[in-house]
Amino acid sequence: MLTDYQRFFTARPTTTIAQDLLGRLLIYDGPQGRLGGWIVETEAYLGVNDSASHAANGRRSNYSESLYGHPGDIYLYQIRGHFCFDIVTQAAGEPQGILIRGLEPVLHPEIMAANRHQSGPNVSNGPAKLVAALGIHSRALDGQPMATSPLFVDLAQRQVPAAITTTARVGMNPTGKDSAAPRRFYVTGNPYVSGMKKRAMDLTHHGWQVTAKNDDA
């Protein structure tokens, strides 16, 4: 029987799932207690045919083996001394995934800020920044299914984006055939999106949909 995570992270295009993750609550139950926040930025990587994927052209190694795992598994990798976090999508053996690029802290944001020695959006407005803000400094969680891992997405809680912006992914090799593919998604105006200019930030609602109050209530 499939877990809720396996159902959520398969049977739909990875680009669709990447957009559906926006506004979901990412949680880490670690040594410092429960930390986390709303996912505000994602990137989709589409496996062997995606020139930017760790599995491009069928590449496979012990390091990236988790990317070939089950939908909802964690692919936690290190790049230039920093750790980043992907969620595996699609059926086992199909190495597609979604990079979590930006997080708006909501669960003990003061601890997350202290972990980064930063304040404001710089706490978690990037893929390595948010992992460090959560207090994760190793690959120990790599390959774990989110159904049983201390790092997981709470699928029952969600903020609804007022609008979603789609762009090319960040930091791509310009010579790659998929470098300009529209596979990055973010909550329009959210201050915790990487590279968000201050003039484009929605500092009132952070890009979330606001439900009008019922004056008769």
Side-chain angles (χ1 to χ4, degrees), residues 37-52:
W38 305 116
I39 297 171
V40 300
E41 182 182 3
T42 60
E43 286 181 342
Y45 290 84
L46 307 187
V48 298
N49 295 315
D50 186 338
S51 64

Side-chain angles (χ1 to χ4, degrees), residues 6 9-10 55 60-61 64-75 87-97 142-145:
Q6 290 172 335
F9 288 104
T10 193
R60 189 166 185 167
S61 67
S64 63
E65 186 61 26
S66 297
L67 190 55
Y68 287 80
H70 296 278
D73 286 359
I74 293 168
Y75 175 42
I87 303 173
V88 177
T89 60
Q90 309 312 327
E94 173 55 52
Q96 299 192 31
D142 179 58
Q144 292 190 16

Side-chain angles (χ1 to χ4, degrees), residues 102-173:
L103 197 69
E104 179 180 336
V106 292
L107 301 175
H108 293 294
E110 73 286 354
I111 297 177
M112 296 175 68
N115 286 340
R116 285 273 297 131
H117 305 289
Q118 297 286 346
S119 61
N122 202 42
V123 169
S124 51
N125 63 347
K129 294 177 183 180
L130 71 89
V131 173
L134 293 172
I136 297 171
H137 304 289
S138 78
R139 298 188 68 213
L141 299 174
D142 179 58
Q144 292 190 16
M146 285 200 302
T148 56
S149 170
L151 178 64
F152 62 96
V153 177
D154 183 347
L155 298 176
Q157 296 193 61
R158 192 185 189 195
Q159 288 266 44
V160 180
I164 293 173
T165 298
T166 302
T167 72
R169 294 169 296 193
V170 176
M172 296 294 99
N173 182 343

